[in-house]
Amino acid sequence: MSEKIQKSEGGREREQRIEKLEQLRGMGVNPFRYSFERTHMLGEAIQNGGELAGSGAEVVCAGRIMSIRKHGKTAFGNIKDSTASLQFYVRKDGVDEESFDLFKLIDVGDIVGIYGTLFRTKTDELTVKVTRLELLSKAILPLPEKWHGLQDKEIRYRQRYVDLIVNDDVMKIFRLRSAIVETIRRFLQEHGFLEVETPILQPIYGGALARPFVTHHNTLDIDLYLRIADELYLKRLIVGGMERVFEFSKDFRNEGMDRSHNPEFTMLECYAAYWDYTRMMEFVEQLFARLCEEFVGGFELKFGEHEIDLKPPWRRLSFFDALGEATDEDLKEMDAETLKELAKKRGLDVDGVTGRGGFLDLLFSELVEPGLIQPTFITDYPVELSPLAKIHRGDASLVERFEPYICGFEIGNAFSELNDPIDQRERFEQQSRMRAEGADEVHPIDEDYVRALEYGMPPTGGLGVGIDRVVMLLTDSHSIRDVILFPQMRPEGGREKD
RNA sequence: GCGCCGCUAGCUCAACUGGCAGAGCAACUGACUCUUAAUCAGUAGGUUCAAGGUUCGAUUCCUUGGCGGCGUACCA
């Protein structure tokens, strides 16, 4: 059986390369070396190519062989490291005998070290003229085809390492992702936010409405939940006096998967004492202005066929005004039954939807969300949908909350945080009643969190940002799987059947 | 979860209405000391996702299953 697996992976070429390993060892070459000292990254060599090419100075580089063009006693090829790709040139009378013999056994995909000098070919291409070659790691599986590369999405996601080797634009997206996160981190630190780490294993899940993953701690013999959000912990830190905190949080939600949802994803949450949601809206605009400056070079962003203008101020539109625009009706005073009729009249599927909040949410996501292409803050949500947000200062049926939308994506969520412990307890209890009525994704009551509020939390503005979606926007990626290195997949070869 | 589409050599893809499973790249052998999708000559490479069915004959048609893509639902 295992023979079958081995055969199916790489086929005959893998066998041939394994034979080469033995030949190499016979020549006294260790095909898997321990280390190698470089003098130049390929990017540096290229950047300083002007001086280096004239000087005859030695460069020592390392990387993966990406192509080889042999012509008898000479050969050209390309070598790639994390900074660049560079052409190399090997000729029989230019290298020592050992290196030339070794080169005969080198394949595309192998990782080598090269010593040489830079020169320009007659087509003016900067090239390393190799004087010595050393094998650092042999590759026994062949790389995908050089011209079409790796197309198969399944292999690209499952074997991301191959995708990264051959698809430079994929590498670029993940470098960009790192830079985006770093820019956001720096921006927050510049504004006095402290980066913290809070539990991923939580005894009570909260801070969002979603089904959790459950695991078990053997010593304590208790079930623990992988966090669906870190909100309640960060606000405990506000109570503790940290005043401005943030965390890049891997969150886990046991829900469906699609173009914009992966079971584990990255959320930025940040909280600022003495801010309210209006101040937080400005902060979001400033943050995106910084991201635009660094990664867009202006405020105009292209996403698919959309041209987005991220220049602040963004449009502010209240939840009920947005619904009013979409329906030509005033939904604010409607009860659950009337909203249900309205949804039906609009041809929406109301199966499984309960409560006034449920119907409002349905109507909003069907009729309003898809149209929110230009950056828009949807503000002032109905209280039913927001158990952790503070009652609106001007209207007790609303909360002070906003969600920024871009390209129809909800990219964040923010409120003036509810800091009245009595109100918070009532909202939790209201959630419990909804659970009893059949809603399965509601907050369990977190007594310790309420106790923390009873010690007094300053007025606080809080914000959550979906980092994966921000990266999608800034890289014009249309699937979350293109911005997550190892997206969740079904097990290869199917599930074991019991 | 549901619907549609796909799965053929290491990779990218062909194969008409059911009739000997093919090409390019990669590999292997040989020629070639400035090539860059190197070139030229030759060789080899397949459980056509799996199991079952229909048929003289299945990559092709049918059933079930697996995996993937897209859409849809769920995910405030």
mmCIF file of all heavy atoms in Angstrom, chain A residues 160-179:
data_model
loop_
_atom_site.group_PDB
_atom_site.id
_atom_site.type_symbol
_atom_site.label_atom_id
_atom_site.label_comp_id
_atom_site.label_asym_id
_atom_site.label_seq_id
_atom_site.Cartn_x
_atom_site.Cartn_y
_atom_site.Cartn_z
ATOM 1 N N ARG A 160 1.266 24.530 -0.074
ATOM 2 C CA ARG A 160 1.564 25.938 -0.274
ATOM 3 C C ARG A 160 3.045 26.170 -0.545
ATOM 4 O O ARG A 160 3.424 27.110 -1.251
ATOM 5 C CB ARG A 160 1.096 26.735 0.951
ATOM 6 C CG ARG A 160 1.292 28.221 0.805
ATOM 7 C CD ARG A 160 0.354 28.817 -0.234
ATOM 8 N NE ARG A 160 -0.899 29.244 0.369
ATOM 9 C CZ ARG A 160 -1.903 29.791 -0.326
ATOM 10 N NH1 ARG A 160 -1.809 29.970 -1.620
ATOM 11 N NH2 ARG A 160 -3.009 30.130 0.278
ATOM 12 N N TYR A 161 3.898 25.281 0.013
ATOM 13 C CA TYR A 161 5.336 25.435 -0.210
ATOM 14 C C TYR A 161 5.658 25.406 -1.701
ATOM 15 O O TYR A 161 6.508 26.158 -2.169
ATOM 16 C CB TYR A 161 6.115 24.348 0.551
ATOM 17 C CG TYR A 161 5.425 22.990 0.576
ATOM 18 C CD1 TYR A 161 5.661 22.036 -0.397
ATOM 19 C CD2 TYR A 161 4.505 22.703 1.574
ATOM 20 C CE1 TYR A 161 5.022 20.815 -0.381
ATOM 21 C CE2 TYR A 161 3.846 21.468 1.591
ATOM 22 C CZ TYR A 161 4.107 20.527 0.612
ATOM 23 O OH TYR A 161 3.444 19.332 0.612
ATOM 24 N N VAL A 162 4.977 24.548 -2.451
ATOM 25 C CA VAL A 162 5.241 24.498 -3.895
ATOM 26 C C VAL A 162 4.700 25.763 -4.565
ATOM 27 O O VAL A 162 5.350 26.365 -5.416
ATOM 28 C CB VAL A 162 4.590 23.256 -4.535
ATOM 29 C CG1 VAL A 162 4.924 23.212 -6.028
ATOM 30 C CG2 VAL A 162 5.063 21.980 -3.858
ATOM 31 N N ASP A 163 3.518 26.164 -4.140
ATOM 32 C CA ASP A 163 2.907 27.384 -4.659
ATOM 33 C C ASP A 163 3.852 28.569 -4.483
ATOM 34 O O ASP A 163 4.061 29.371 -5.397
ATOM 35 C CB ASP A 163 1.599 27.611 -3.874
ATOM 36 C CG ASP A 163 0.679 28.628 -4.511
ATOM 37 O OD1 ASP A 163 0.778 28.830 -5.738
ATOM 38 O OD2 ASP A 163 -0.150 29.203 -3.788
ATOM 39 N N LEU A 164 4.463 28.651 -3.299
ATOM 40 C CA LEU A 164 5.364 29.766 -2.999
ATOM 41 C C LEU A 164 6.640 29.689 -3.834
ATOM 42 O O LEU A 164 7.178 30.713 -4.248
ATOM 43 C CB LEU A 164 5.722 29.758 -1.512
ATOM 44 C CG LEU A 164 4.607 30.208 -0.567
ATOM 45 C CD1 LEU A 164 4.924 29.807 0.866
ATOM 46 C CD2 LEU A 164 4.387 31.707 -0.663
ATOM 47 N N ILE A 165 7.121 28.475 -4.076
ATOM 48 C CA ILE A 165 8.353 28.326 -4.862
ATOM 49 C C ILE A 165 8.130 28.844 -6.281
ATOM 50 O O ILE A 165 8.951 29.588 -6.813
ATOM 51 C CB ILE A 165 8.811 26.850 -4.928
ATOM 52 C CG1 ILE A 165 9.302 26.380 -3.561
ATOM 53 C CG2 ILE A 165 9.933 26.673 -5.967
ATOM 54 C CD1 ILE A 165 9.505 24.865 -3.481
ATOM 55 N N VAL A 166 6.995 28.460 -6.878
ATOM 56 C CA VAL A 166 6.862 28.724 -8.311
ATOM 57 C C VAL A 166 5.992 29.929 -8.655
ATOM 58 O O VAL A 166 6.080 30.433 -9.761
ATOM 59 C CB VAL A 166 6.336 27.486 -9.079
ATOM 60 C CG1 VAL A 166 7.321 26.330 -8.920
ATOM 61 C CG2 VAL A 166 4.949 27.086 -8.614
ATOM 62 N N ASN A 167 5.162 30.376 -7.741
ATOM 63 C CA ASN A 167 4.281 31.506 -8.058
ATOM 64 C C ASN A 167 4.729 32.751 -7.290
ATOM 65 O O ASN A 167 4.367 32.941 -6.121
ATOM 66 C CB ASN A 167 2.826 31.161 -7.750
ATOM 67 C CG ASN A 167 2.269 30.098 -8.687
ATOM 68 O OD1 ASN A 167 2.672 30.016 -9.846
ATOM 69 N ND2 ASN A 167 1.357 29.281 -8.199
ATOM 70 N N ASP A 168 5.473 33.604 -7.947
ATOM 71 C CA ASP A 168 6.046 34.770 -7.274
ATOM 72 C C ASP A 168 4.977 35.719 -6.741
ATOM 73 O O ASP A 168 5.171 36.375 -5.729
ATOM 74 C CB ASP A 168 6.967 35.535 -8.236
ATOM 75 C CG ASP A 168 8.263 34.774 -8.499
ATOM 76 O OD1 ASP A 168 8.591 33.889 -7.675
ATOM 77 O OD2 ASP A 168 8.919 35.052 -9.509
ATOM 78 N N ASP A 169 3.826 35.788 -7.442
ATOM 79 C CA ASP A 169 2.792 36.709 -6.978
ATOM 80 C C ASP A 169 2.190 36.227 -5.657
ATOM 81 O O ASP A 169 1.710 37.035 -4.860
ATOM 82 C CB ASP A 169 1.703 36.895 -8.049
ATOM 83 C CG ASP A 169 1.234 35.565 -8.612
ATOM 84 O OD1 ASP A 169 1.994 34.578 -8.538
ATOM 85 O OD2 ASP A 169 0.098 35.508 -9.116
ATOM 86 N N VAL A 170 2.223 34.917 -5.419
ATOM 87 C CA VAL A 170 1.734 34.395 -4.139
ATOM 88 C C VAL A 170 2.682 34.817 -3.023
ATOM 89 O O VAL A 170 2.268 35.303 -1.971
ATOM 90 C CB VAL A 170 1.595 32.866 -4.196
ATOM 91 C CG1 VAL A 170 1.269 32.294 -2.828
ATOM 92 C CG2 VAL A 170 0.523 32.481 -5.201
ATOM 93 N N MET A 171 3.962 34.651 -3.282
ATOM 94 C CA MET A 171 4.963 35.115 -2.313
ATOM 95 C C MET A 171 4.742 36.592 -2.001
ATOM 96 O O MET A 171 4.802 37.016 -0.849
ATOM 97 C CB MET A 171 6.361 34.887 -2.896
ATOM 98 C CG MET A 171 7.498 35.334 -2.012
ATOM 99 S SD MET A 171 7.713 34.300 -0.550
ATOM 100 C CE MET A 171 8.748 32.989 -1.198
ATOM 101 N N LYS A 172 4.454 37.356 -3.043
ATOM 102 C CA LYS A 172 4.278 38.795 -2.878
ATOM 103 C C LYS A 172 3.098 39.118 -1.959
ATOM 104 O O LYS A 172 3.190 39.992 -1.100
ATOM 105 C CB LYS A 172 4.038 39.400 -4.272
ATOM 106 C CG LYS A 172 4.442 40.841 -4.403
ATOM 107 C CD LYS A 172 4.413 41.262 -5.868
ATOM 108 C CE LYS A 172 3.771 42.630 -6.027
ATOM 109 N NZ LYS A 172 3.421 42.933 -7.417
ATOM 110 N N ILE A 173 2.006 38.383 -2.127
ATOM 111 C CA ILE A 173 0.828 38.630 -1.296
ATOM 112 C C ILE A 173 1.142 38.382 0.179
ATOM 113 O O ILE A 173 0.757 39.159 1.048
ATOM 114 C CB ILE A 173 -0.353 37.757 -1.757
ATOM 115 C CG1 ILE A 173 -0.962 38.355 -3.026
ATOM 116 C CG2 ILE A 173 -1.415 37.639 -0.667
ATOM 117 C CD1 ILE A 173 -2.036 37.507 -3.660
ATOM 118 N N PHE A 174 1.894 37.327 0.456
ATOM 119 C CA PHE A 174 2.145 37.024 1.862
ATOM 120 C C PHE A 174 3.205 37.929 2.474
ATOM 121 O O PHE A 174 3.185 38.196 3.673
ATOM 122 C CB PHE A 174 2.445 35.535 2.043
ATOM 123 C CG PHE A 174 1.206 34.705 1.843
ATOM 124 C CD1 PHE A 174 1.001 33.983 0.683
ATOM 125 C CD2 PHE A 174 0.207 34.724 2.801
ATOM 126 C CE1 PHE A 174 -0.166 33.258 0.486
ATOM 127 C CE2 PHE A 174 -0.964 34.008 2.620
ATOM 128 C CZ PHE A 174 -1.152 33.271 1.464
ATOM 129 N N ARG A 175 4.105 38.438 1.659
ATOM 130 C CA ARG A 175 5.017 39.472 2.164
ATOM 131 C C ARG A 175 4.216 40.728 2.485
ATOM 132 O O ARG A 175 4.447 41.397 3.490
ATOM 133 C CB ARG A 175 6.072 39.808 1.115
ATOM 134 C CG ARG A 175 7.115 38.740 0.965
ATOM 135 C CD ARG A 175 8.157 39.179 -0.060
ATOM 136 N NE ARG A 175 9.125 38.130 -0.258
ATOM 137 C CZ ARG A 175 10.081 37.838 0.620
ATOM 138 N NH1 ARG A 175 10.204 38.544 1.718
ATOM 139 N NH2 ARG A 175 10.912 36.843 0.385
ATOM 140 N N LEU A 176 3.267 41.027 1.610
ATOM 141 C CA LEU A 176 2.443 42.203 1.807
ATOM 142 C C LEU A 176 1.596 42.048 3.066
ATOM 143 O O LEU A 176 1.432 42.987 3.848
ATOM 144 C CB LEU A 176 1.546 42.388 0.582
ATOM 145 C CG LEU A 176 1.203 43.811 0.183
ATOM 146 C CD1 LEU A 176 2.459 44.634 0.014
ATOM 147 C CD2 LEU A 176 0.409 43.812 -1.118
ATOM 148 N N ARG A 177 1.094 40.858 3.260
ATOM 149 C CA ARG A 177 0.283 40.616 4.456
ATOM 150 C C ARG A 177 1.092 40.932 5.707
ATOM 151 O O ARG A 177 0.621 41.604 6.625
ATOM 152 C CB ARG A 177 -0.198 39.156 4.494
ATOM 153 C CG ARG A 177 -1.005 38.873 5.744
ATOM 154 C CD ARG A 177 -1.585 37.473 5.828
ATOM 155 N NE ARG A 177 -2.231 37.354 7.111
ATOM 156 C CZ ARG A 177 -3.491 36.960 7.309
ATOM 157 N NH1 ARG A 177 -4.224 36.593 6.290
ATOM 158 N NH2 ARG A 177 -4.002 36.937 8.519
ATOM 159 N N SER A 178 2.314 40.441 5.725
ATOM 160 C CA SER A 178 3.176 40.705 6.874
ATOM 161 C C SER A 178 3.404 42.208 7.051
ATOM 162 O O SER A 178 3.335 42.732 8.166
ATOM 163 C CB SER A 178 4.508 39.979 6.672
ATOM 164 O OG SER A 178 5.422 40.364 7.658
ATOM 165 N N ALA A 179 3.624 42.900 5.958
ATOM 166 C CA ALA A 179 3.875 44.342 6.028
ATOM 167 C C ALA A 179 2.636 45.096 6.500
ATOM 168 O O ALA A 179 2.734 46.076 7.244
ATOM 169 C CB ALA A 179 4.328 44.859 4.668
#
